[in-house]
Amino acid sequence: MAATPVWSVDPRTGKQREQVTAEATPPDVDRAVRAAHSARAALADRTARVAFLRTAADLLDEAGPLVVETADAETALGPARLTGELARTTGQLRAFADAVEEGSHLDVRIDRADATLTPPRPELRRYKVPLGVVAVYAASNFPLAFSVPGGDTASALAAGCPVVVKAHPDHPATSELCAALLRRAAGACGLPPEVVHVVHGFDAGLELVRHPLVTAAGFTGSLRGGRALFDAAAARPVPIPFHGELGSLNPVVVTPAAAAEGAEEIGGGLAGAVTLGVGQFCVKPGLVLVPEGPDGDRLTGTLAKSLGETGPGVLLDHRMRENFLAGVRERAALPGVTAPVLPGPGGEHSVGAGYLSVPAATLLEGGPHEVLLEECFGPVTVVVRYADPREATEVLARLGGNLSATLHLSAAETEGVPGPAGSPSAAELIGQVTELAGRIVVNGWPTGVAVAPAQHHGGPYPAATSHSTSVGATAIERWLRPVAYQSVPDALLPPELREANPLGLPRRVTGGER
């Protein structure tokens, strides 16, 4: 059977640019995984790992113009956006290098033996070790930061895990270019290039998650695709952790007091968040609860004006464009749904931004309106007009898990001043959205996920399949497992746990130092 070609396609025209490679066959996947598996021992060298991550960041920066040009040709995201994304990507690599060098990710804990306790406590020493080969499934909407050189890859390599990336079909040339740079960085630091592999093709993705030497997987993409891989990971003879980000509605609640205080500012900010990246951010606000009445009208009026002034944009591929247009048509045709600014075709290859509106009472009827509670990928949001704040909380109660939830509050509400009798307080609203989202935003917008130690990018299912984060320093924890050593002689302990602490690692000790 002839190999299936992998083409780079220009989303601005729909035309093929070049054949990049061919889809991986099952033997190709097996060879990639086995080669990565053989590189595990080399990655155990913490000093080499730190150098590798920093060198990879340097090489990506040096090749920046070519990386941005290649990614733009395949995604139409634009040089400005991609230049920022590249900086985020190299920043992540350097941040994980710093984390590995500092060492607290190993979570070294020592409990001294104490025969006076009941029951007696033996000497216990615990730290974390890498899982093994990690499968990474690249995202469509971030060809760098959530793709081959992105956060899943960087955190797995930082943990000491070789990586096999299943490239996204929307940017195969970018994926191959970045993989070559990572492999070059590995070689420059004395590591085998096999610490990073890339495979292409839908079937290759399934083969990868089922391979017996793959020990964990990271995924960013759709609910349907992620759930299929999650189920495959769980159905293996030896199930493996599957850390998937599967999409999100990212609800926004605007209180009556907030609308009265800043309707125009909120409406303009909402338009910017909905259209950022042509609405292709995983934290795009997809459902916005706005009070009925003049203040809410001022907010939606500003939203409509701002969206109307936004030019058409190109989505990542034509399949996504057709899915977006079909999703908008389905939602706009529902009884009670209006389209003050109807999203639709902006041209042969582009789309225009807009929003749909529905009364909260209609949405709460359920039935076909349930589709309004599902993500529609692209530059559209659903504005739900509520007559009573209790309707807003009832809508929130219908939602599944989300990556983010946003509250727009008045100045008084942020100080804890109670609202009208019968209305939920700001604290009560925060309590409610905390149950359904991984990140809570007040008087801001969820688009823009800072890479920081305290960041959490995840949420209850279906936003994610685990409670870990894919952004920030603690993302490394996904690829590690703890091991405790009981009454093991010092000479036989791993260097990380020896009494003299030869690696200078931070550690927690109970029972006093000695």
Side-chain angles (χ1 to χ4, degrees):
M1 178 188 292
T4 303
V6 173
W7 290 91
S8 173
V9 177
D10 183 347
R12 294 181 174 96
T13 64
K15 294 181 179 180
Q16 294 175 339
R17 298 177 57 248
E18 61 174 326
Q19 182 180 342
V20 176
T21 183
E23 292 187 0
T25 64
D28 293 333
V29 174
D30 181 62
R31 282 191 291 271
V33 174
R34 291 187 182 281
H37 181 74
S38 69
R40 291 176 306 148
L43 272 181
D45 184 334
R46 193 164 63 107
T47 301
R49 222 157 63 231
V50 169
F52 169 36
L53 292 169
R54 290 176 177 156
T55 302
D58 291 343
L59 292 180
L60 283 163
D61 280 339
E62 289 172 12
L66 178 59
V67 171
V68 168
E69 179 184 3
T70 305
D72 181 50
E74 295 187 303
T75 66
L77 289 173
R81 149 71 196 274
L82 290 165
T83 298
E85 186 180 335
L86 178 60
R88 174 195 179 93
T89 303
T90 57
Q92 285 180 149
L93 287 161
R94 294 186 177 101
F96 281 114
D98 293 343
V100 174
E101 193 169 54
E102 188 266 341
S104 61
H105 68 288
L106 296 175
D107 195 22
V108 177
R109 297 169 184 254
I110 298 173
D111 290 330
R112 304 293 190 198
D114 191 339
T116 66
L117 298 177
T118 304
R121 183 175 67 206
E123 180 90 359
L124 290 166
R125 294 172 182 248
R126 179 185 186 270
Y127 81 135
K128 294 180 179 179
V129 299
L131 292 176
V133 178
V134 169
V136 170
Y137 294 82
S140 62
N141 55 341
F142 283 85
L144 304 174
F146 285 84
S147 187
V148 172
D152 282 350
T153 297
S155 58
L157 292 171
C161 296
V163 172
V164 180
V165 183
K166 190 274 179 187
H168 196 279
D170 279 352
H171 35 78
T174 307
S175 298
E176 287 293 329
L177 172 59
C178 291
L181 292 168
L182 292 180
R183 290 163 70 87
R184 182 177 148 201
C189 297
L191 296 172
E194 289 78 13
V195 295
V196 177
H197 278 269
V198 172
V199 296
H200 299 259
F202 177 83
D203 292 340
L206 288 174
E207 288 288 334
L208 186 57
V209 80
R210 293 169 177 159
H211 197 287
L213 293 180
V214 168
T215 60
F219 172 90
T220 303
S222 68
L223 174 59
R224 181 179 178 184
R227 183 56 196 253
L229 290 170
F230 174 73
D231 291 345
R236 293 168 36 130
V238 179
I240 59 172
F242 183 89
H243 301 287
E245 179 199 314
L246 311 185
S248 179
L249 197 60
N250 306 300
V252 177
V253 179
V254 181
T255 66
E261 196 169 273
E264 289 82 5
E265 181 182 358
I266 296 170
L270 174 59
V274 169
T275 58
L276 186 65
V278 201
Q280 297 173 114
F281 276 49
C282 51
V283 286
K284 178 202 75 177
L287 186 83
V288 187
L289 291 150
V290 175
E292 292 182 356
D295 295 326
D297 292 344
R298 287 192 295 119
L299 188 158
T300 56
T302 303
L303 172 64
K305 182 175 184 296
S306 298
L307 292 176
E309 293 172 349
T310 302
V314 176
L315 296 183
L316 292 160
D317 62 40
H318 281 56
R319 175 186 58 83
M320 291 184 186
R321 179 178 182 272
E322 292 306 314
N323 287 343
F324 170 73
L325 295 175
V328 169
R329 285 194 299 269
E330 178 186 11
R331 289 162 173 79
L334 292 170
V337 174
T338 60
V341 182
L342 180 64
E348 185 180 357
H349 306 289
S350 60
V351 297
Y355 82 97
L356 307 176
S357 184
V358 64
T362 301
L363 179 59
L364 290 168
E365 292 173 2
H369 291 87
E370 290 292 322
V371 72
L372 298 172
L373 303 181
E374 299 174 8
E375 180 184 21
C376 187
F377 194 70
V380 64
T381 193
V382 175
V383 174
V384 180
R385 302 297 299 269
Y386 63 88
D388 184 288
R390 287 171 293 190
E391 283 187 333
T393 60
E394 288 176 23
V395 171
L396 290 175
R398 302 282 289 273
L399 302 183
N402 285 267
L403 295 171
S404 72
T406 298
L407 303 178
H408 278 272
L409 309 173
S410 69
E413 287 172 321
T414 63
E415 297 295 328
V417 177
S423 297
S425 67
E428 288 171 332
L429 283 173
I430 286 179
Q432 184 175 14
V433 296
T434 296
E435 294 181 359
L436 60 88
R439 179 164 58 105
I440 312 304
V441 180
V442 172
N443 291 348
W445 300 103
T447 42
V449 183
V451 180
Q455 184 59 273
H456 184 82
H457 190 60
Y461 186 87
T465 59
S466 72
H467 297 305
S468 61
T469 179
S470 62
V471 178
T474 54
I476 196 172
E477 296 173 0
R478 297 173 295 169
W479 323 119
L480 298 165
R481 66 177 180 88
V483 179
Y485 294 79
Q486 179 175 324
S487 304
V488 176
D490 193 69
L492 301 181
L493 286 168
E496 292 84 354
L497 296 180
R498 289 178 187 164
E499 186 64 21
N501 196 11
L503 302 181
L505 296 172
R507 57 188 191 177
R508 302 179 188 180
V509 181
T510 59
E513 289 283 1
R514 33 166 225 255

